């Protein structure tokens, strides 16, 4: 390069002489939002940030908010969905999902690392389709349901740090009402959809059905879907449909099964009872008994009273030691009021976020924006 051209390049980009490793190290020290702007500096910066070898070093997107179901008998359709931002407006999205085609009904099922899984109802007798969309890029794909009934449900598995492809786990249950008058979902078979294969790759029928909590929150980590059971167990289902069980720590006064989540590459369970909540981490996922108590807090410590209001852990921050907790109270007229709090484990600080109102429903799905074109082959 001529001397004049080199001087011009240095004036326009003072980092032109920096080696790639050093430039990546510098970019890794800025917040995620600034990283998005860095991609616009030059093609070199864009390629370095997008390179797979740098995914672990560079900052990732963080929790932006929650999608959740709503139910309002005064409006149609009765079942819909809402969105709540918990990180300001740094990531504006079309939370109404108006960029999607107009189906008879869109049922929100799961959210995993920036992708939403929905079931799209069609006029009878047509069977529904599944839909996976990225609200940040407004890309979406659809594919036919494998085996569907009004009681079946599905979960999404996706890890952009490993692959741009996703999996859908269709869980087919036989519903039973147990003696405690709680619905248990005895999962008899699972179908696995692979976006890489472009179809349903596995249909596994288990000899012994597994009991899964209704509306069970699950998490996908290292190619395995983890779901909670009523029986102090976590079911671990891999992408080939194989299932094993992991015993989890319990509380004597546990009100329901544990909540399971992943944070910073590790698996956690939150057990909550009438008196306290305890957080456990699985130090070694290959060992079924290596749970370590990370934290516990009493209801009195959390809320400053011994009230019998119902509370529950609904989610956790994927990068920080922060839990999200709902507290349910009964208003005059027997309407339920749901309040959302965050709880920082290290500082033991409880912070009120907002009233969710009486129309909000489980599941509350944590949303981490994904800006890559993972659904580039879709619409």
């Amino acid at each position: 390069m001529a001397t004049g051209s080199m001087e011009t390049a240095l004036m326009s980009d003072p980092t032109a002489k920096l080696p790639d490793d050093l430039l990546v190290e510098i970019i890794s020290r800025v917040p995620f939002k600034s990283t998005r702007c860095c991609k616009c500096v030059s093609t070199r910066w864009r390629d370095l940030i997008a390179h797979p070898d740098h995914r672990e070093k560079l900052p990732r997107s963080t929790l932006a908010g929650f999608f959740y179901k709503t139910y309002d008998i005064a409006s149609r359709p009765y079942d819909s969905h809402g969105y709540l931002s918990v990180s300001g407006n740094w990531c504006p999205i079309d939370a109404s999902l108006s960029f999607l085609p107009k189906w008879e009904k869109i049922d929100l099922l799961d959210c995993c690392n920036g992708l939403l899984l929905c079931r799209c109802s069609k006029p009878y007798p047509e069977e529904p389709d599944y839909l996976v969309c990225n609200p940040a890029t407004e890309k979406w794909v659809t594919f036919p349901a494998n085996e569907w009934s009004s009681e079946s449900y599905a979960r999404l598995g996706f890890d952009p740090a490993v692959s741009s492809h996703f999996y859908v786990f269709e869980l087919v249950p036989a519903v039973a009402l147990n003696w405690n008058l709680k619905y248990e979902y005895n999962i008899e078979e699972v179908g696995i959809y692979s976006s890489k294969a472009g179809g349903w790759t596995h249909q596994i029928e288990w000899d012994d059905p597994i009991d899964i909590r209704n509306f069970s929150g699950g998490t996908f980590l290292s190619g395995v879907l983890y779901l909670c059971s009523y029986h102090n167990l976590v079911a671990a289902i891999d992408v080939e449909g194989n299932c094993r069980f992991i015993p989890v720590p319990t509380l004597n006064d546990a009100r329901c099964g544990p909540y399971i989540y992943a944070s910073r590459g590790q698996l956690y369970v939150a057990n909550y009872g009438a008196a306290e909540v305890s957080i456990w981490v699985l130090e070694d996922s290959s060992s079924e008994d290596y749970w370590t108590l990370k934290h516990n807090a009493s209801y009195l410590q959390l809320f400053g009273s011994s009230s019998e209001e119902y509370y529950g852990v609904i989610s956790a921050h994927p990068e920080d030691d922060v839990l999200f907790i709902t507290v349910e109270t009964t208003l005059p007229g027997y309407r339920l009021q749901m309040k959302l709090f965050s709880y920082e484990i290290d500082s033991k600080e409880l912070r009120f976020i907002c009233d969710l109102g009486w129309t909000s429903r489980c599941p509350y799905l944590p949303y981490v924006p994904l800006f890559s074109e993972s659904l580039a082959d879709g619409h």
Side-chain angles (χ1 to χ4, degrees), residues 255-333:
R255 293 186 169 183
C256 60
Y259 173 80
I260 189 162
Y261 65 93
S263 182
R264 289 177 290 189
Q266 289 185 296
L267 195 68
Y268 292 78
V269 293
N271 273 310
Y272 48 96
E276 68 173 7
V277 58
S278 62
I279 310 298
W280 301 76
V281 58
L282 187 63
E283 300 288 358
D284 181 3
S285 60
S286 64
S287 172
E288 297 185 351
D289 301 310
Y290 203 57
W291 292 95
T292 301
L293 179 64
K294 182 177 178 64
H295 182 75
N296 62 1
S298 68
Y299 191 99
L300 184 62
Q301 289 174 316
L302 288 172
F303 303 107
S305 70
S306 56
S307 171
E308 289 301 316
E309 295 174 335
Y310 180 82
Y311 78 102
V313 177
I314 62 162
S315 187
H317 198 286
E319 298 165 348
D320 301 324
D321 285 334
V322 176
L323 299 178
F324 294 91
I325 298 172
T326 56
V327 177
E328 184 180 284
T329 57
T330 303
L331 299 177

Side-chain angles (χ1 to χ4, degrees), residues 179-194:
W179 66 275
N180 281 326
L181 299 181
K182 292 181 180 179
Y183 281 103
E184 293 185 5
Y185 275 48
N186 300 302
I187 307 299
E188 296 180 322
E189 59 183 298
V190 60
I192 310 292
Y193 178 89
S194 164

Side-chain angles (χ1 to χ4, degrees), residues 33 62-65 83-91 317 324 351 367:
K33 289 183 284 186
T62 191
L63 182 71
Y83 176 76
L84 170 68
S85 173
V86 295
S87 302
N89 296 320
W90 69 268
C91 179
H317 198 286
F324 294 91
R351 183 172 66 89
Y367 173 65

Side-chain angles (χ1 to χ4, degrees), residues 63-70 80-86 91-100 106-118 133-136 314-315 340 356 360-370:
L63 182 71
F66 293 92
F67 282 94
Y68 57 91
K69 288 188 178 183
T70 61
S80 186
H81 74 271
Y83 176 76
L84 170 68
S85 173
V86 295
C91 179
I93 61 168
D94 180 4
S96 67
L97 308 180
S98 63
F99 59 88
L100 297 176
I106 297 179
D107 189 19
L108 209 62
L109 301 178
D110 200 9
C111 186
C112 185
N113 291 318
L115 300 186
L116 284 177
L117 172 64
C118 308
C133 72
N134 184 340
I314 62 162
S315 187
L340 178 64
L356 289 169
S360 68
R361 294 288 186 273
C362 292
Y364 297 93
L365 304 173
Y367 173 65
V368 177
L370 176 70

Side-chain angles (χ1 to χ4, degrees), residues 221-237:
L221 180 65
S222 301
V224 177
L225 175 69
Y226 295 92
L227 296 168
C228 294
S229 169
Y230 275 113
H231 306 293
N232 302 321
L233 295 171
V234 167
I237 307 171

